[in-house]
Amino acid sequence: MADSPLQLLLTHGSGPLVFLVLVAGGLGLPFPEDIVQLAAGVLSHRGAMPLPAAIALCFAGVLCGDTVLFLTARRLGQAVYTHRRTRRLFPPERRERIQGLYAKHGSRVVFLGRFMSVLRVPVFAMAATEGMPLRRFLLWDGLALCLSSPLVVTLGYLGSASVDRVAKGVGRVEHFAALAGVAALLVALAVRHARERRQPRPSA
Protein backbone atom coordinates (compact mmCIF):
# COMPACT_ATOMS: atom_id res chain seq x y z
CA MET A 1 0.00 0.00 0.00
CA ALA A 2 3.07 2.27 0.13
CA ASP A 3 2.51 3.70 -3.35
CA SER A 4 -1.28 3.95 -3.29
CA PRO A 5 -2.95 7.37 -3.74
CA LEU A 6 -4.54 6.99 -0.32
CA GLN A 7 -1.23 6.38 1.42
CA LEU A 8 0.45 9.27 -0.41
CA LEU A 9 -2.30 11.62 0.72
CA LEU A 10 -2.07 10.35 4.28
CA THR A 11 1.70 10.90 4.28
CA HIS A 12 1.86 14.29 2.57
CA GLY A 13 -1.76 15.44 2.74
CA SER A 14 -3.17 18.76 3.82
CA GLY A 15 -6.44 20.62 3.33
CA PRO A 16 -5.29 22.56 0.23
CA LEU A 17 -3.81 19.42 -1.33
CA VAL A 18 -7.03 17.48 -0.82
CA PHE A 19 -8.96 20.29 -2.49
CA LEU A 20 -6.56 20.51 -5.46
CA VAL A 21 -6.57 16.74 -5.99
CA LEU A 22 -10.37 16.66 -6.04
CA VAL A 23 -10.49 19.46 -8.60
CA ALA A 24 -7.83 17.69 -10.67
CA GLY A 25 -10.06 14.63 -10.69
CA GLY A 26 -12.63 16.75 -12.52
CA LEU A 27 -10.02 17.36 -15.22
CA GLY A 28 -9.78 13.62 -15.82
CA LEU A 29 -6.69 12.82 -13.77
CA PRO A 30 -6.80 9.39 -12.09
CA PHE A 31 -7.61 10.50 -8.54
CA PRO A 32 -10.68 8.56 -7.27
CA GLU A 33 -12.70 11.14 -5.36
CA ASP A 34 -13.97 8.63 -2.80
CA ILE A 35 -10.41 7.64 -1.85
CA VAL A 36 -9.46 11.31 -1.54
CA GLN A 37 -12.46 12.01 0.70
CA LEU A 38 -11.59 8.99 2.83
CA ALA A 39 -8.09 10.40 3.22
CA ALA A 40 -9.56 13.75 4.27
CA GLY A 41 -11.50 11.99 7.03
CA VAL A 42 -8.39 10.19 8.25
CA LEU A 43 -6.37 13.43 8.20
CA SER A 44 -9.12 15.08 10.22
CA HIS A 45 -8.95 12.31 12.81
CA ARG A 46 -5.19 12.87 13.02
CA GLY A 47 -5.70 16.55 13.79
CA ALA A 48 -4.92 18.10 10.40
CA MET A 49 -8.31 19.84 10.29
CA PRO A 50 -11.69 19.72 12.05
CA LEU A 51 -14.18 17.20 10.69
CA PRO A 52 -16.71 19.87 9.55
CA ALA A 53 -13.90 21.64 7.69
CA ALA A 54 -12.87 18.38 6.00
CA ILE A 55 -16.46 17.75 4.89
CA ALA A 56 -16.86 21.31 3.58
CA LEU A 57 -13.50 21.13 1.81
CA CYS A 58 -14.38 17.87 0.08
CA PHE A 59 -17.83 19.15 -0.86
CA ALA A 60 -16.29 22.25 -2.45
CA GLY A 61 -13.48 20.32 -4.15
CA VAL A 62 -15.77 17.73 -5.71
CA LEU A 63 -18.28 20.38 -6.81
CA CYS A 64 -15.50 22.44 -8.41
CA GLY A 65 -14.20 19.35 -10.19
CA ASP A 66 -17.68 18.52 -11.45
CA THR A 67 -18.08 22.12 -12.65
CA VAL A 68 -14.81 21.88 -14.59
CA LEU A 69 -16.07 18.68 -16.22
CA PHE A 70 -19.43 20.28 -17.03
CA LEU A 71 -17.92 23.42 -18.58
CA THR A 72 -15.39 21.39 -20.57
CA ALA A 73 -18.15 19.19 -22.00
CA ARG A 74 -20.25 22.26 -22.79
CA ARG A 75 -17.33 23.78 -24.68
CA LEU A 76 -16.83 20.59 -26.70
CA GLY A 77 -20.52 20.31 -27.46
CA GLN A 78 -21.48 17.39 -29.68
CA ALA A 79 -17.78 16.76 -30.32
CA VAL A 80 -17.63 15.18 -26.85
CA TYR A 81 -19.08 12.04 -28.46
CA THR A 82 -16.30 11.80 -31.06
CA HIS A 83 -13.26 13.44 -29.45
CA ARG A 84 -10.42 10.93 -29.10
CA ARG A 85 -10.13 11.56 -25.33
CA THR A 86 -13.82 11.31 -24.49
CA ARG A 87 -15.50 9.09 -27.07
CA ARG A 88 -14.63 5.93 -25.10
CA LEU A 89 -17.02 7.16 -22.41
CA PHE A 90 -19.94 7.02 -24.83
CA PRO A 91 -20.29 3.63 -26.48
CA PRO A 92 -23.64 3.52 -28.33
CA GLU A 93 -25.42 1.36 -25.75
CA ARG A 94 -24.33 3.59 -22.83
CA ARG A 95 -25.31 6.75 -24.66
CA GLU A 96 -28.76 5.33 -25.45
CA ARG A 97 -29.20 4.26 -21.84
CA ILE A 98 -28.34 7.71 -20.50
CA GLN A 99 -30.53 9.44 -23.07
CA GLY A 100 -33.38 7.20 -21.97
CA LEU A 101 -32.78 8.16 -18.34
CA TYR A 102 -32.83 11.85 -19.23
CA ALA A 103 -36.05 11.41 -21.20
CA LYS A 104 -37.67 9.70 -18.21
CA HIS A 105 -36.24 11.65 -15.26
CA GLY A 106 -34.96 14.94 -16.68
CA SER A 107 -32.51 16.91 -14.55
CA ARG A 108 -32.92 14.49 -11.63
CA VAL A 109 -30.58 12.10 -13.45
CA VAL A 110 -27.68 14.32 -12.30
CA PHE A 111 -28.67 13.59 -8.70
CA LEU A 112 -28.78 9.85 -9.35
CA GLY A 113 -25.61 9.94 -11.46
CA ARG A 114 -23.61 11.12 -8.44
CA PHE A 115 -24.10 7.63 -6.94
CA MET A 116 -23.35 5.67 -10.14
CA SER A 117 -19.57 5.49 -10.36
CA VAL A 118 -19.57 4.01 -13.88
CA LEU A 119 -22.10 6.49 -15.31
CA ARG A 120 -21.17 9.59 -13.28
CA VAL A 121 -18.83 11.24 -15.80
CA PRO A 122 -20.89 10.49 -18.93
CA VAL A 123 -24.10 11.59 -17.19
CA PHE A 124 -22.53 14.92 -16.17
CA ALA A 125 -20.93 15.42 -19.59
CA MET A 126 -24.20 14.72 -21.40
CA ALA A 127 -26.01 17.15 -19.12
CA ALA A 128 -23.75 19.90 -20.46
CA THR A 129 -23.80 18.71 -24.05
CA GLU A 130 -27.59 18.50 -24.18
CA GLY A 131 -28.03 22.04 -22.89
CA MET A 132 -28.76 21.77 -19.16
CA PRO A 133 -28.21 25.16 -17.46
CA LEU A 134 -25.20 25.25 -15.14
CA ARG A 135 -27.34 26.49 -12.26
CA ARG A 136 -29.64 23.48 -12.48
CA PHE A 137 -26.70 21.09 -12.73
CA LEU A 138 -25.11 22.57 -9.60
CA LEU A 139 -28.42 22.33 -7.73
CA TRP A 140 -28.88 18.59 -8.32
CA ASP A 141 -25.21 17.73 -7.98
CA GLY A 142 -24.97 19.78 -4.78
CA LEU A 143 -27.99 18.05 -3.27
CA ALA A 144 -26.42 14.66 -3.95
CA LEU A 145 -23.10 15.77 -2.50
CA CYS A 146 -24.88 16.80 0.70
CA LEU A 147 -25.44 13.07 1.20
CA SER A 148 -22.30 11.49 -0.21
CA SER A 149 -19.48 13.76 1.01
CA PRO A 150 -20.41 13.73 4.73
CA LEU A 151 -20.83 9.94 4.65
CA VAL A 152 -17.51 9.13 2.99
CA VAL A 153 -15.46 11.70 4.94
CA THR A 154 -17.00 10.59 8.24
CA LEU A 155 -16.30 6.97 7.34
CA GLY A 156 -12.62 7.87 6.92
CA TYR A 157 -12.67 9.71 10.24
CA LEU A 158 -14.26 6.85 12.17
CA GLY A 159 -12.20 4.16 10.47
CA SER A 160 -8.84 5.89 10.52
CA ALA A 161 -7.31 2.99 12.44
CA SER A 162 -8.18 0.52 9.68
CA VAL A 163 -7.87 2.48 6.46
CA ASP A 164 -7.62 -0.55 4.19
CA ARG A 165 -10.92 -2.00 5.37
CA VAL A 166 -12.56 1.41 5.14
CA ALA A 167 -11.46 1.83 1.53
CA LYS A 168 -13.02 -1.51 0.62
CA GLY A 169 -16.27 -0.48 2.30
CA VAL A 170 -16.82 2.67 0.27
CA GLY A 171 -18.87 0.84 -2.33
CA ARG A 172 -21.31 -0.32 0.34
CA VAL A 173 -21.58 3.19 1.77
CA GLU A 174 -22.29 4.61 -1.68
CA HIS A 175 -24.99 1.98 -2.12
CA PHE A 176 -26.74 3.02 1.07
CA ALA A 177 -26.26 6.69 0.20
CA ALA A 178 -27.86 6.08 -3.17
CA LEU A 179 -30.84 4.38 -1.53
CA ALA A 180 -31.20 7.27 0.91
CA GLY A 181 -30.92 9.78 -1.93
CA VAL A 182 -33.55 8.05 -4.04
CA ALA A 183 -35.85 7.82 -1.04
CA ALA A 184 -35.45 11.53 -0.35
CA LEU A 185 -36.13 12.32 -3.99
CA LEU A 186 -39.30 10.21 -4.01
CA VAL A 187 -40.54 11.97 -0.87
CA ALA A 188 -39.91 15.37 -2.43
CA LEU A 189 -41.77 14.38 -5.60
CA ALA A 190 -44.70 13.02 -3.57
CA VAL A 191 -44.95 16.26 -1.59
CA ARG A 192 -44.83 18.29 -4.80
CA HIS A 193 -47.53 16.14 -6.37
CA ALA A 194 -49.74 16.52 -3.28
CA ARG A 195 -49.36 20.31 -3.36
CA GLU A 196 -50.25 20.43 -7.04
CA ARG A 197 -53.41 18.41 -6.38
CA ARG A 198 -54.45 20.82 -3.63
CA GLN A 199 -54.15 23.84 -5.89
CA PRO A 200 -57.55 24.98 -7.24
CA ARG A 201 -58.03 24.32 -10.92
CA PRO A 202 -58.81 27.33 -13.12
CA SER A 203 -62.45 27.57 -14.04
CA ALA A 204 -63.36 26.99 -17.69
Side-chain angles (χ1 to χ4, degrees), residues 26 65-75 110 124-129 131-135 137-138:
D66 291 346
T67 303
V68 170
L69 168 65
F70 183 92
L71 294 176
T72 302
R74 172 185 281 180
R75 184 174 181 179
V110 171
F124 291 178
M126 283 186 67
T129 302
M132 181 181 294
L134 176 61
R135 187 176 301 177
F137 171 79
L138 293 176

Side-chain angles (χ1 to χ4, degrees), residues 20-33 36 68 85 88 121:
L20 290 175
V21 170
L22 287 171
V23 174
L27 294 170
L29 298 179
F31 300 128
E33 65 182 41
V36 179
V68 170
R85 293 186 177 180
R88 62 183 177 79
V121 172

Side-chain angles (χ1 to χ4, degrees), residues 7-199:
Q7 188 61 39
L8 289 173
L9 277 171
L10 294 178
T11 303
H12 308 287
S14 63
L17 181 60
V18 167
F19 179 84
L20 290 175
V21 170
L22 287 171
V23 174
L27 294 170
L29 298 179
F31 300 128
E33 65 182 41
D34 297 320
I35 297 299
V36 179
Q37 292 184 91
L38 274 175
V42 175
L43 289 171
S44 173
H45 189 271
R46 294 179 179 179
M49 58 188 130
L51 180 59
I55 293 173
L57 192 72
C58 288
F59 179 97
V62 173
L63 193 62
C64 286
D66 291 346
T67 303
V68 170
L69 168 65
F70 183 92
L71 294 176
T72 302
R74 172 185 281 180
R75 184 174 181 179
L76 288 172
Q78 295 297 315
V80 74
Y81 301 128
T82 56
H83 193 280
R84 62 185 178 85
R85 293 186 177 180
T86 55
R87 63 189 177 191
R88 62 183 177 79
L89 296 172
F90 301 97
E93 63 278 3
R94 180 180 291 175
R95 185 175 173 183
E96 289 180 9
R97 180 184 176 189
I98 296 174
Q99 286 175 333
L101 290 172
Y102 273 112
K104 185 176 182 180
H105 301 289
S107 303
R108 296 184 293 276
V109 171
V110 171
F111 181 95
L112 299 175
R114 160 59 42 199
F115 304 103
M116 305 178 196
S117 57
V118 176
L119 295 180
R120 184 183 302 161
V121 172
V123 163
F124 291 178
M126 283 186 67
T129 302
E130 302 301 326
M132 181 181 294
L134 176 61
R135 187 176 301 177
R136 187 177 302 169
F137 171 79
L138 293 176
L139 170 65
W140 287 107
D141 191 28
L143 286 174
L145 279 172
C146 286
L147 289 172
S148 63
S149 276
L151 280 172
V152 178
V153 176
T154 302
L155 179 63
Y157 182 90
L158 296 176
S160 60
S162 51
V163 175
D164 286 334
R165 284 182 292 168
V166 170
K168 293 177 182 177
V170 170
R172 291 191 291 273
V173 172
E174 281 198 329
H175 176 71
F176 289 122
L179 291 177
V182 171
L185 182 60
L186 290 175
V187 170
L189 291 175
V191 171
R192 179 180 175 184
H193 179 68
R195 288 178 178 174
E196 289 176 350
R197 292 190 61 181
R198 292 195 196 103
Q199 291 179 352

